[in-house]
Amino acid sequence: MRSIVILALLNCGLCWAEQAGDCVPSALNVSAAKYPCIYPDNRAMFRVIAPNATKVRVRIGSGFDMTKGPDGIWTVTTTPLVVGFHYYGLEVDGATVADPSTMAFFGSGWLNSGIEIPEPDTDADYYHAKDVPHGRVSEQSYYSKVTGRWRQAFVYTPPDYGSNPKAHYPVLYLLHGWGEDETGWTRQGHVDFIMDNLIAAGKAKPMIVVMDNLNAVKPGEDGSIFAGRGLVPAPRSAPPTAGPGRAPVSSGGGLASFTGATFTEMMLTDLVPTVERTYRVLPGRENRAMAGLSMGGMQTFLTTLSNLDKFTYVGGFSGSCGGRGGSFDPKTSCNGAFADPAAFNRKVKVLFLGIGSAEGPGTKNFSDQLTQAGIHNVYFESPGTAHEWLTWRRCLKDFAPRLFR
Amino acid sequence: MRSIVILALLNCGLCWAEQAGDCVPSALNVSAAKYPCIYPDNRAMFRVIAPNATKVRVRIGSGFDMTKGPDGIWTVTTTPLVVGFHYYGLEVDGATVADPSTMAFFGSGWLNSGIEIPEPDTDADYYHAKDVPHGRVSEQSYYSKVTGRWRQAFVYTPPDYGSNPKAHYPVLYLLHGWGEDETGWTRQGHVDFIMDNLIAAGKAKPMIVVMDNLNAVKPGEDGSIFAGRGLVPAPRSAPPTAGPGRAPVSSGGGLASFTGATFTEMMLTDLVPTVERTYRVLPGRENRAMAGLSMGGMQTFLTTLSNLDKFTYVGGFSGSCGGRGGSFDPKTSCNGAFADPAAFNRKVKVLFLGIGSAEGPGTKNFSDQLTQAGIHNVYFESPGTAHEWLTWRRCLKDFAPRLFR
């Protein structure tokens, strides 16, 4: 009897050792947190201490119920997950909360936990820190006359910006998606490493990248479509992974009320002048590009297509003025921006439409419709990815080298 | 009957309106989250959606049990809280988690929620964004030969750094506390606004402030004392507010094994050369200051007192090489750094010891012991604050103007 017990303990110890060895902590865990961890086949193991809880779920993908151990610790191992960055949350007896063992990422209007399912280094190389000259991401505070508030933009300056004090640079204005904020492109997107690596390889021109927050409301204006799930109880029941992009659709058609007019006014009145006053910027429309993901892509099209005297390069990553079904009329769609293809093609050097292959055919159809209407455009499809940050990292990697040529 | 119902609804509506009006959402809430909110008398109301939970607590101060409403929403109003920044967490049926309705702040080795109990504007003015020239906080990636890893430091450059390309600046190296990281001084401390305001008022010299992470271990070295509660289940049961500072004491005497030698080696081998190669820095010991809070203050004393050929200004905010009881012998305490008071006073222009009045007499006693031993030092006490960030903001406000004179 006793020998059996010992044998059981030995076995358990062995299994555990093997398991722990195979399961590598997510790169996004805080300090030395061991969970969540990821197996070589992309299954993830989550672990939550909730001794008195009756039901604990991990809100990732379709969600996974966790199992309680005798020590009050809940665990679950998921099915294999898609590579790249995923938002997730925990549901503890009906409370949707962040897992304090990972860094927090702002999406869907509140703080989610995050897990990164690693790609092979050969694929991930372009967004990893490498031993190349590094640019810097700075926080730029500025006062907006249009909104009557202090705002904060994140500004990437290229590696030689400091050592080359006479040089001036073109500017890419780059927006996040619904329910996210100005931290997204750095924290979830690794914009700094992507640009550092592209510039070091001579693939992209040195440029300044300005990442602002697309939330812009005037005093008294309704900002609810921006506020996201942090605002009200109900939407909390939707999984964070439904977050940016799909969220507007699920947020009571709030998007219908999205005009983006205030952001455009704020950007042209407050942001662009602040950037051009504060940084060494090349002047003129040919040195100005704008892109965004999801709702930020919609905002980009709204802002640029009505101000083509100020922008030459336009990028929509999983978001634009089209691609969501419905008929396309070159004369009237997108506020008639494409009514004169020849004039449009003269003004816009790059019209970029990016999408994840798992996001459906809408964007491809829109690109085809534009092409049939005689509008030059670039269609980029990220293989095997959905409405998530790996799609948008890949979009930026393909888009940035096309700028300012 | 019907009129009674209507009356009841009206009453409820009125009460709620009054309550909501009095309770102002915390400035640290995400997007437009309405809770937690703060009443004029500094009581805070917390709100958690946990329909199936049997017990929910807010881990702030001594902790507060929440009450479940018929809608499955738990609420509690605390007793009046001390002004300033507090970490907090939620306990949902035994799970200690972050509240996704606030921004997350890294302390005690995992992500806490945060609430800021506002001071009167007259007191808080110095750490608020004001319409003065703004410096910038940049993320500086660099490779450490000592640890064999990429590291990230946050670097504040003063407002005129960009517009004054010939100017060179002195450097303050500023460390966070136990279980925190290089984001703490910007996110919890508002170092950028404090420096902007001091510089604009002519109270502090324009300087560069470098905020690195005091976690530094060589391959194979034990980093557990840095890892904090994210590492193991057990300490999760301690409230986050016990976090930085007190935590080393409560973490099984881990601090006894804290030598800080690897950080000192990393700082002098990797960080300082990176900073002096990358930024326009004034050379020499008279242009180099170092300070830190709690464990970062201990690290500061360990690093500077054994390298007085490299540092002229030393600050310990709620942490130094003394002040934790025990006897003080000027010849041997702090590795004998004070054995020759005259020599010490010639080298160190400012030896600063700051503390919150609620933290006990240890630091005051240490300051008196140093004074009795003939060591010039500055003692600063923050009235009414504990081992928290408001103490350390006030320390910086008092310390920075003394530098580089």
Side-chain angles (χ1 to χ4, degrees):
Chain A
M1 176 56 192
R2 187 173 183 186
S3 61
I4 295 170
V5 173
I6 293 168
L7 196 61
L9 289 171
L10 281 172
N11 286 341
C12 180
L14 289 170
C15 321
W16 182 249
E18 284 162 11
Q19 195 172 39
D22 289 351
C23 202
V24 178
S26 165
L28 305 183
N29 292 1
V30 295
S31 70
K34 292 175 178 168
Y35 303 93
C37 62
I38 301 150
Y39 288 103
D41 63 358
N42 293 350
R43 290 173 304 137
M45 182 182 181
F46 293 85
R47 187 177 154 109
V48 177
I49 305 149
N52 310 321
T54 55
K55 187 178 185 193
V56 181
R57 277 173 66 79
V58 176
R59 291 185 165 280
I60 190 167
S62 50
F64 297 88
D65 290 333
M66 305 186 77
T67 306
K68 188 179 190 174
D71 50 6
I73 295 179
W74 297 70
T75 57
V76 69
T77 298
T78 67
T79 53
L81 300 172
V82 177
V83 292
F85 175 91
H86 308 297
Y87 292 110
Y88 79 93
L90 303 174
E91 186 178 325
V92 180
D93 286 347
T96 300
V97 290
D99 180 347
S101 293
T102 86
M103 292 186 280
F105 302 89
F106 194 65
S108 313
W110 84 85
L111 280 177
N112 302 272
S113 300
I115 185 170
E116 178 95 24
I117 308 300
E119 296 186 282
D121 282 349
T122 48
D123 299 336
D125 207 38
Y126 72 93
Y127 58 82
H128 282 172
K130 292 164 65 180
D131 193 6
V132 298
H134 283 266
R136 269 184 246 139
V137 176
S138 308
E139 297 179 38
Q140 180 68 52
S141 300
Y142 69 101
Y143 183 78
S144 165
K145 293 188 289 291
V146 169
T147 65
R149 294 182 185 174
W150 280 91
R151 293 175 60 89
Q152 174 182 273
F154 280 66
V155 179
Y156 168 86
T157 46
D160 66 348
Y161 188 89
S163 59
N164 202 354
K166 288 204 166 47
H168 289 61
Y169 301 84
V171 182
L172 165 62
Y173 293 87
L174 190 60
L175 287 177
H176 58 82
W178 180 87
E180 300 180 323
D181 68 13
E182 67 275 18
T183 64
W185 266 108
T186 309
R187 309 213 45 234
Q188 288 94 298
H190 301 316
V191 62
D192 48 347
F193 297 140
I194 292 174
M195 296 308 301
D196 291 342
N197 292 330
L198 286 173
I199 291 167
K203 291 178 180 170
K205 287 205 163 185
M207 66 185 77
I208 292 168
V209 183
V210 175
M211 296 155 282
D212 202 349
N213 189 316
L214 63 70
N215 294 267
V217 290
K218 298 179 179 182
E221 256 184 337
D222 173 19
S224 58
I225 64 162
F226 299 113
R229 298 196 172 83
L231 189 65
V232 286
R236 282 284 180 84
S237 57
T241 46
R246 282 212 297 287
V249 180
S250 68
S251 66
L255 207 55
S257 70
F258 171 68
T259 68
T262 301
F263 179 86
T264 298
E265 182 184 352
M266 185 287 302
M267 180 177 174
L268 300 180
T269 307
D270 299 316
L271 176 60
V272 171
T274 297
V275 168
E276 303 198 342
R277 189 173 57 244
T278 312
Y279 298 84
R280 301 194 308 275
V281 169
L282 287 168
R285 66 182 298 279
E286 57 283 352
N287 294 304
R288 222 175 276 135
M290 185 174 180
L293 69 93
S294 191
M295 187 173 173
M298 297 170 56
Q299 179 66 63
T300 295
F301 276 63
L302 288 161
T303 300
T304 56
L305 298 190
S306 54
N307 293 280
L308 288 181
D309 58 321
K310 300 184 175 65
F311 298 93
T312 302
Y313 303 87
V314 179
F317 308 163
S318 306
S320 70
C321 65
R324 286 182 300 285
S327 64
F328 176 78
D329 177 348
K331 296 295 175 198
T332 59
S333 295
C334 300
N335 304 321
F338 304 118
D340 182 345
F344 185 91
N345 293 337
R346 271 196 307 275
K347 289 182 185 164
V348 178
K349 282 196 188 170
V350 175
L351 181 68
F352 181 95
L353 296 168
I355 194 78
S357 66
E359 292 189 78
T363 297
K364 179 68 167 66
N365 295 342
F366 183 51
S367 170
D368 293 341
Q369 290 165 333
L370 288 173
T371 302
Q372 284 154 27
I375 300 292
H376 301 164
N377 69 91
V378 175
Y379 174 74
F380 169 79
E381 190 172 287
S382 164
T385 60
H387 201 80
E388 293 194 301
W389 275 95
L390 187 54
T391 297
W392 305 321
R393 292 176 193 162
R394 289 173 176 174
C395 284
L396 179 63
K397 179 196 174 196
D398 192 90
F399 179 65
R402 303 174 183 274
L403 302 179
F404 313 121
R405 300 294 181 183
Chain B
M1 175 56 190
R2 187 174 184 188
S3 61
I4 295 170
V5 175
I6 293 168
L7 195 62
L9 290 171
L10 283 171
N11 286 341
C12 180
L14 289 170
C15 322
W16 182 250
E18 282 161 12
Q19 194 174 41
D22 287 352
C23 202
V24 179
S26 166
L28 305 184
N29 292 0
V30 295
S31 70
K34 292 175 177 168
Y35 303 92
C37 62
I38 300 150
Y39 288 103
D41 62 359
N42 293 348
R43 290 172 305 137
M45 182 183 182
F46 293 84
R47 194 167 193 254
V48 177
I49 304 149
N52 309 321
T54 54
K55 188 180 183 194
V56 180
R57 277 173 66 80
V58 177
R59 291 184 165 279
I60 189 166
S62 51
F64 296 89
D65 290 332
M66 304 186 79
T67 306
K68 188 179 191 174
D71 50 5
I73 295 178
W74 296 69
T75 57
V76 69
T77 298
T78 67
T79 53
L81 300 172
V82 177
V83 293
F85 174 91
H86 309 296
Y87 292 110
Y88 79 93
L90 302 175
E91 185 177 325
V92 180
D93 287 347
T96 299
V97 290
D99 180 347
S101 293
T102 86
M103 292 185 279
F105 301 89
F106 193 64
S108 314
W110 83 85
L111 281 177
N112 302 272
S113 300
I115 185 170
E116 178 94 23
I117 307 300
E119 294 186 283
D121 282 349
T122 48
D123 298 337
D125 207 39
Y126 71 93
Y127 57 82
H128 283 170
K130 292 164 65 180
D131 193 5
V132 298
H134 282 266
R136 271 185 245 139
V137 175
S138 308
E139 297 179 36
Q140 179 68 52
S141 299
Y142 69 101
Y143 184 78
S144 165
K145 293 188 289 291
V146 170
T147 66
R149 294 182 185 174
W150 281 91
R151 294 176 60 89
Q152 175 182 271
F154 280 67
V155 179
Y156 168 86
T157 47
D160 67 348
Y161 187 90
S163 59
N164 202 355
K166 288 206 165 48
H168 288 62
Y169 301 85
V171 182
L172 165 62
Y173 292 86
L174 189 60
L175 287 177
H176 58 82
W178 179 88
E180 300 180 323
D181 67 14
E182 66 275 16
T183 64
W185 266 108
T186 309
R187 309 214 45 234
Q188 287 95 298
H190 301 316
V191 63
D192 47 347
F193 297 140
I194 293 174
M195 295 308 300
D196 291 342
N197 292 330
L198 286 174
I199 291 167
K203 292 178 180 169
K205 288 204 163 186
M207 66 185 77
I208 293 169
V209 183
V210 175
M211 297 155 281
D212 202 348
N213 189 317
L214 65 70
N215 295 268
V217 291
K218 298 181 179 182
E221 255 184 335
D222 172 20
S224 58
I225 64 161
F226 300 113
R229 299 195 172 81
L231 187 66
V232 285
R236 283 282 180 84
S237 57
T241 46
R246 284 211 297 288
V249 180
S250 68
S251 67
L255 205 55
S257 70
F258 170 68
T259 68
T262 300
F263 180 85
T264 299
E265 182 183 352
M266 186 288 301
M267 180 177 174
L268 300 180
T269 307
D270 299 316
L271 175 60
V272 172
T274 297
V275 168
E276 304 199 339
R277 188 172 59 244
T278 311
Y279 298 84
R280 300 194 309 276
V281 170
L282 287 169
R285 66 182 298 279
E286 58 282 356
N287 296 303
R288 220 176 276 134
M290 185 174 181
L293 69 93
S294 192
M295 186 173 172
M298 298 170 56
Q299 180 66 65
T300 296
F301 276 63
L302 287 161
T303 299
T304 56
L305 297 191
S306 54
N307 292 280
L308 288 182
D309 58 320
K310 300 184 175 64
F311 299 92
T312 301
Y313 304 87
V314 180
F317 307 164
S318 306
S320 69
C321 64
R324 287 181 300 284
S327 65
F328 175 78
D329 177 348
K331 296 296 175 198
T332 58
S333 295
C334 301
N335 304 321
F338 305 117
D340 181 345
F344 185 91
N345 293 336
R346 270 197 307 276
K347 288 182 186 165
V348 178
K349 282 195 189 172
V350 175
L351 181 69
F352 181 97
L353 296 168
I355 195 77
S357 66
E359 293 189 77
T363 297
K364 179 68 168 67
N365 295 342
F366 182 52
S367 170
D368 293 341
Q369 291 166 332
L370 289 173
T371 303
Q372 285 155 28
I375 299 292
H376 301 164
N377 69 93
V378 175
Y379 174 74
F380 169 79
E381 190 171 287
S382 165
T385 60
H387 201 81
E388 294 193 301
W389 275 95
L390 186 54
T391 297
W392 305 321
R393 291 177 194 161
R394 291 174 175 175
C395 284
L396 179 62
K397 179 197 176 197
D398 191 89
F399 178 65
R402 304 174 182 274
L403 303 178
F404 313 122
R405 300 293 180 183

